[in-house]
């Protein structure tokens, strides 16, 4: 595969004189499959995997086709490799937490999130109220120890996006997501309605976060905007482009737009590495080395800094709330093409 690419791609010689091909920051050796082959192999390997179950605590999610399976990989030089269904949209759900956190960091600096919410793993489920009590930030009691990727921290992060009214704040939130995806996204109204009708737990969390000083005002607005951001419709290609924007130092490699400052991206990736797959984040990092984020809609994004962003959409989830096929496919693809940033290039 690599030899076919040698004539058309930039060449590089590594120690030992073996020829390698560079696509974005990805150095492919004679032993590695090219990205399209790796993506195709994972699709074939996992397409019949039936483990896991759609989320059903948001009724609309239970109705999504569990067989939906799409893979997309976007390199930092804007090349796109796909397999399966990359058109059907699912709700972005918790993956939106990454981009709203990134927006707050972009606007208000890295310290804003660290000081108000914290950047530590809770070791608990994404909607745990016990975790809020355990790390409770009574104003003036010291640094908070939560993170913006669990529901309490995410609702607080949404409340930090500035704007005179809900409309202005929403335009900023969806605008940031659009820029990272490289197209105009919209809310899946059936999911928004279904989640709004069944999100009493998040409302309780919103009120608690106001009581404990993480949210300064108007928790119902924060919960509503958070619910809306979770209902944004995305396909595997959108998600991979969003991941690639983080892999490219905040620049969307397909549109060329600088969405956030490069210097602020490592902070975003650090929180993803720490808490992106909730209490399975350590296990995930152990096997892939990739900062990542899952959503109960069935998507997972993962970032190989300087190399590529990858996303898989497949709704059935494991007990921790992470897509089963997405975890397997991303691990297989990334490890096949050298995506793990902890592996020293020699
Ligand atoms: O607030 C919720 O429960 C959902 N809107 C998002 C949860 C989610 O995606 C957790 N991810 N794995």
């Amino acid at each position: 595969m690599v030899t076919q690419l040698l004539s058309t791609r930039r060449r590089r010689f590594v120690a030992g004189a073996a020829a390698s091909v560079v696509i974005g920051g990805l150095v492919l050796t004679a032993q590695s499959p090219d990205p399209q082959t790796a993506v195709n192999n994972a699709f074939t390997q996992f397409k019949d995997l039936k483990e896991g179950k759609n989320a059903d605590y948001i009724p609309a999610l239970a109705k999504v086709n569990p067989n939906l399976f799409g893979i997309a990989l976007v390199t930092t030089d804007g090349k796109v490799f796909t397999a399966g269904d990359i058109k059907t949209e699912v709700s972005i759900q918790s993956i939106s937490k990454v981009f709203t956190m990134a927006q707050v960091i972009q606007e208000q600096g890295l310290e804003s999130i660290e000081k108000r919410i914290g950047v530590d793993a809770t070791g608990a489920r994404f909607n745990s109220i016990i975790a809020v009590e355990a790390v409770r930030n009574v104003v003036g009691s010291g640094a908070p120890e939560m993170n913006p990727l669990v529901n309490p921290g995410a609702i607080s992060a949404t409340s930090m996006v500035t704007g005179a009214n809900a409309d202005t704040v929403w335009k900023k939130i969806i605008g940031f997501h659009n820029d990272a995806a490289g197209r105009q996204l919209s809310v899946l109204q059936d999911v928004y309605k279904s989640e709004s009708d069944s999100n009493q737990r998040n409302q309780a969390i919103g009120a608690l976060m106001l009581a404990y000083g993480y949210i300064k005002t108007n928790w119902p607005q924060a919960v509503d905007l958070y619910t809306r951001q979770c209902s944004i419709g995305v396909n595997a290609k959108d998600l991979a482009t969003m991941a690639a924007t983080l892999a490219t130092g905040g620049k969307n490699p397909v549109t060329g737009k600088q969405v956030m400052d490069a210097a602020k991206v490592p902070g975003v990736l650090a929180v993803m590495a720490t808490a992106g797959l909730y209490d399975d984040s350590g296990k995930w990092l152990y096997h892939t080395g990739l900062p990542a984020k899952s959503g109960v809609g069935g998507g997972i994004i993962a970032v190989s800094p300087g190399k590529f962003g990858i996303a898989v959409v497949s709704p059935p989830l494991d007990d921790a709330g992470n897509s089963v096929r997405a975890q397997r496919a991303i691990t297989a693809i990334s490890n096949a093409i050298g995506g793990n940033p902890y592996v020293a290039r020699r």
Side-chain angles (χ1 to χ4, degrees):
M1 261 60 83
V2 166
T3 39
Q4 287 161 8
L5 291 164
L6 271 170
S7 53
T8 53
R9 309 249 193 251
R10 193 150 60 92
R11 289 164 189 234
R12 176 185 286 190
F13 292 89
V14 286
S20 64
V21 176
V22 181
I23 304 177
L26 204 54
V27 180
L28 300 173
T29 66
Q31 284 75 44
S32 351
D34 67 87
Q36 188 59 60
T37 303
V39 165
N40 290 346
N41 289 348
F43 185 79
T44 308
Q45 190 180 352
F46 299 114
K47 74 177 166 22
D48 298 322
L49 184 72
K50 296 284 182 224
E51 283 171 42
K53 188 171 160 293
N54 281 29
D56 57 9
Y57 73 98
I58 300 168
L61 301 187
K63 297 187 195 139
V64 177
N65 177 5
N67 297 320
L68 173 61
F69 185 31
I71 305 177
L73 184 150
V74 178
T75 57
T76 51
D77 59 356
K79 294 189 176 63
V80 181
F81 304 92
T82 67
D85 185 339
I86 54 144
K87 290 219 168 105
T88 302
E89 292 182 357
V90 294
S91 52
I92 188 169
Q93 295 297 340
S94 284
I95 299 169
S96 68
K97 294 167 176 170
V98 170
F99 296 91
T100 300
M101 161 177 67
Q103 178 161 38
V104 173
I105 287 175
Q106 174 60 18
E107 264 192 6
Q108 301 167 41
L110 282 157
E111 280 195 351
S112 60
I113 287 286
E114 187 180 7
K115 282 197 170 140
R116 175 83 71 87
I117 298 166
V119 290
D120 277 311
T122 62
R125 281 188 67 76
F126 59 86
N127 57 3
S128 170
I129 290 174
I130 291 175
V132 178
E133 293 298 337
V135 300
R136 169 174 174 176
N137 172 36
V138 178
V139 179
S141 71
E145 293 196 12
M146 197 179 287
N147 68 74
L149 299 184
V150 287
N151 290 10
I155 294 167
S156 305
T158 300
S159 82
M160 292 172 73
V161 179
T162 56
N165 52 46
D167 236 36
T168 319
V169 176
W170 174 249
K171 284 200 179 102
K172 283 169 70 178
I173 292 173
I174 187 89
F176 196 90
H177 284 72
N178 290 343
D179 286 346
R183 75 172 179 107
Q184 186 84 44
L185 303 170
S186 49
V187 167
L188 300 176
Q189 292 299 333
D190 60 324
V191 177
Y192 176 47
K193 180 167 183 342
S194 178
E195 186 163 346
S196 298
D197 289 346
S198 58
N199 70 351
Q200 290 77 20
R201 188 183 180 99
N202 281 343
Q203 293 179 44
I205 289 172
L208 206 55
M209 297 311 270
L210 180 86
Y212 293 170
Y214 294 86
I215 294 180
K216 297 299 174 199
T217 180
N218 202 351
W219 67 262
Q221 175 176 302
V223 173
D224 178 54
L225 289 173
Y226 163 83
T227 308
R228 242 194 273 180
Q229 80 180 41
C230 287
S231 309
I232 294 172
V234 282
N235 58 41
K237 190 164 163 242
D238 296 325
L239 288 174
T241 311
M242 295 170 92
T245 297
L246 297 172
T248 317
K251 179 175 161 182
N252 183 319
V254 179
T255 65
K257 180 164 184 169
Q258 192 72 44
V259 180
M260 76 181 294
D261 300 341
K264 291 172 176 158
V265 174
V268 173
L269 298 180
V271 184
M272 291 169 73
T274 307
L277 268 68
Y278 306 112
D279 39 339
D280 276 352
S281 298
K283 216 188 300 172
W284 169 262
L285 204 60
Y286 193 78
H287 289 286
T288 65
L290 300 180
K293 183 75 203 84
S294 61
V296 288
I300 295 185
I301 63 168
V303 178
S304 180
K307 295 180 178 171
F308 61 83
I310 183 168
V312 173
V313 169
S314 168
L317 312 177
D318 64 14
D319 288 344
N322 302 316
S323 165
V324 177
R325 280 200 294 204
Q327 291 177 78
R328 303 263 179 96
I330 294 173
T331 304
I333 295 165
S334 176
N335 289 344
I337 61 177
N340 188 330
Y342 295 130
V343 176
R345 191 191 286 170
R346 293 159 16 108

